[in-house]
Amino acid sequence: MITDVLYLNNIKVATPAEDGISIGRYKIRSENFWRTSAGKAVGTIKYMKYKLEITWNLLSAAEIKQIDDIVSDKSNPFVAVKFRNLDGSLKSIMCYFGGSVMPMYRYKKGKPEVSGYKISAIEQ
């Protein structure tokens, strides 16, 4: 199993769940993109951008804090994200992050354990 999977600002973070990275490719259309009166779409695509949905299994509080500190830094809203692409190579993109979800798996000695921590990275 490859564990060299994900870096945030060149810091290797915990390996996501086995099926924990979803790669989306989105089209940014040009200003001339519209529909004719007959409903036909016309125009061009300017860019293709990535969106990553990243999920981890059980993480420690320290691992969550490490990730959250990077993706929630108000003074640095854009983060270098390096991930394994479809061909297995490491791909680097600059991203901003949407919200995060931290499902409480259970409480152990009064402290929550999180399983299924999820973040969304959107290419700049």
Side-chain angles (χ1 to χ4, degrees):
M1 179 169 137
I2 295 175
T3 59
D4 187 23
V5 174
L6 184 65
Y7 293 82
L8 302 175
N9 277 347
N10 293 316
I11 298 168
K12 184 177 179 252
V13 297
T15 301
E18 189 170 321
D19 60 350
I21 297 181
S22 295
I23 301 172
R25 297 273 295 160
Y26 296 90
K27 298 167 185 77
I28 307 299
R29 302 187 192 295
S30 63
E31 295 78 20
N32 70 347
F33 193 88
W34 56 286
R35 289 199 177 269
T36 67
S37 59
K40 180 180 178 183
V42 295
T44 58
I45 296 170
K46 290 173 74 172
Y47 310 104
M48 294 292 293
K49 296 290 183 174
Y50 282 92
K51 179 179 179 185
L52 305 175
E53 298 286 339
I54 307 165
T55 305
W56 289 264
N57 289 329
L58 194 61
L59 290 177
S60 69
E63 289 170 321
I64 292 171
K65 183 177 182 335
Q66 178 192 39
I67 295 165
D68 196 57
D69 284 352
I70 295 169
V71 304
S72 299
D73 183 354
K74 291 180 186 176
S75 65
N76 187 22
F78 300 104
V79 173
V81 177
K82 191 174 355 177
F83 64 97
R84 293 265 171 205
N85 205 358
L86 295 173
D87 63 1
S89 66
L90 282 169
K91 168 104 177 131
S92 295
I93 57 176
M94 288 300 289
C95 292
Y96 62 94
F97 287 80
S100 60
V101 177
M102 299 179 203
M104 300 302 167
Y105 171 64
R106 66 178 170 204
Y107 288 84
K108 193 172 187 177
K109 296 183 182 179
K111 293 184 180 180
E113 291 185 348
V114 174
S115 181
Y117 177 56
K118 183 176 186 177
I119 58 176
S120 297
I122 301 99
E123 187 175 8
Q124 185 178 22

